[in-house]
Amino acid sequence: MSTVSTAKYPLSVKLFHSLIALLMIATLVIGWQLEDNEDLMGLHKSLGVTVFVLAVLRVVNRIRTKDSVPGSVNAVGSMQYLAEKTVHGLLYVVMLGVPFMGWLTSNAFGYPASFFGLFNLPTLIGKNIDLAEQLGGLHGLGADAFVVLLALHVLGAIVHLIVSKDNVFKRMM
Ligand code: HEM
Ligand code: HEM
C-alpha cells in the first residue's frame, strides 16, 4: 500500500543527495578508466575525497534534520519498506566505506589521499604493497556493490514514478 503525502525533503537533504550522486557516479566512471589512464588518478582521488567529506556532512545533516524528513511512502513492515530501508542504509555504507577504502589503499601504496593538491587527508597506515593490493581489491568490490545498489535504487525510484505514481521522485528532486 502506498500513501501519497505532500511532505518534501528539506533543501539541504536534496542538495547533498544530488551533489553526492553526481560526484560519486563521476568518481566511479573515472575509476573504471584508471587501468588505461593512470593520469586520471589525481582526479579520481580528489573527487572521491570530496564525496567522503560530503558524505560525513550529509550524515550529520540527516541526523540534524531527522524530524523534518518525510516518512516512507511504503507501509511500515511491508516488503517494499524493508527493501527501501535496506538499500538506503547500504547506500550510506558504500558512500562512506568505498572512499574510505580508497583512502586506505592510497596510503598503503605510499601516497596521501590528496584533494587537488590543496590538502591531504591524514595518512592512516604506512606503505605496504601487499596490503595495498588487497585493500584495492576490496575498494573495487565496494564500487561493484555500489553499482548494484544504485541500480536497485534507481529502479525503485522509477517504479514509484511510473507504476505507483506517488510523489517520491518529486519530493527528493
Ligand atoms: C542518480 C539517480 C538517483 C535517483 C533517480 C535517486 C532517487 C532518489 C529518490 C526519489 C529518493 C527519495 C526516496 C523516498 O523519498 O523514499 C532517494 C533517496 C535516497 N537516495 Fe537516491 N537517487 C539517485 C542516486 C543516488 C545515489 C548515487 C546515492 C548514493 C550515493 C543515493 C542515495 C540515496 C539515499 C541514502 C536516500 C535516502 C535519503 C534519506 O532518507 O536519507 N541516491 N533517491
Ligand atoms: C567516491 C567513491 C569512489 C569510487 C566509487 C571509486 C571507485 C573505484 C574504481 C571502480 C576503481 C577501479 C577498481 C578496479 O579496477 O578494480 C578504483 C580504483 C582506485 N581508487 Fe577509487 N573510488 C572512490 C574513491 C576513492 C578515493 C577517495 C581514493 C583515494 C583517496 C581512491 C583511490 C583509488 C585507488 C588508489 C585505486 C587503484 C586501486 C588498485 O590499483 O588496486 N578511490 N576506485
Side-chain angles (χ1 to χ4, degrees):
M1 194 192 77
S2 292
T3 51
V4 178
S5 87
T6 52
K8 283 191 174 159
Y9 281 92
L11 180 64
S12 58
V13 173
K14 291 197 234 179
L15 287 176
F16 275 117
H17 178 265
S18 301
L19 199 58
I20 292 177
L22 278 175
L23 290 174
M24 193 158 172
I25 292 169
T27 311
L28 172 77
V29 172
I30 294 170
W32 285 334
Q33 324 293 318
L34 288 174
E35 222 172 297
D36 302 322
N37 187 353
E38 281 186 19
D39 293 346
L40 291 173
M41 184 55 92
L43 181 61
H44 177 75
K45 287 196 201 179
S46 302
L47 292 179
V49 166
T50 313
V51 169
F52 182 74
V53 173
L54 288 174
V56 172
L57 296 174
R58 178 178 180 174
V59 171
V60 173
N61 183 63
R62 181 64 170 75
I63 295 167
R64 187 183 68 83
T65 57
K66 71 176 189 313
D67 293 333
S68 32
V69 163
S72 174
V73 290
N74 296 311
V76 178
S78 64
M79 281 303 288
Q80 290 94 321
Y81 182 83
L82 197 69
E84 174 205 321
K85 294 298 167 195
T86 306
V87 172
H88 286 173
L90 290 175
L91 279 169
Y92 276 113
V93 172
V94 292
M95 210 187 302
L96 290 160
V98 172
F100 184 66
M101 291 306 290
W103 172 3
L104 290 181
T105 304
S106 294
N107 289 172
F109 274 122
Y111 299 102
S114 166
F115 176 80
F116 294 108
L118 296 175
F119 69 85
N120 297 333
L121 295 179
T123 295
L124 299 178
I125 50 175
K127 188 170 176 179
N128 178 339
I129 301 297
D130 284 346
L131 180 64
E133 281 166 359
Q134 288 180 11
L135 289 171
L138 286 178
H139 178 61
L141 280 178
D144 292 344
F146 170 57
V147 174
V148 174
L149 291 167
L150 182 60
L152 292 171
H153 182 61
V154 173
L155 196 72
I158 291 172
V159 167
H160 279 283
L161 185 70
I162 297 175
V163 184
S164 321
K165 294 193 170 48
D166 50 32
N167 66 336
V168 155
F169 221 84
K170 229 165 89 190
R171 68 188 196 163
M172 183 53 109
M173 297 302 154

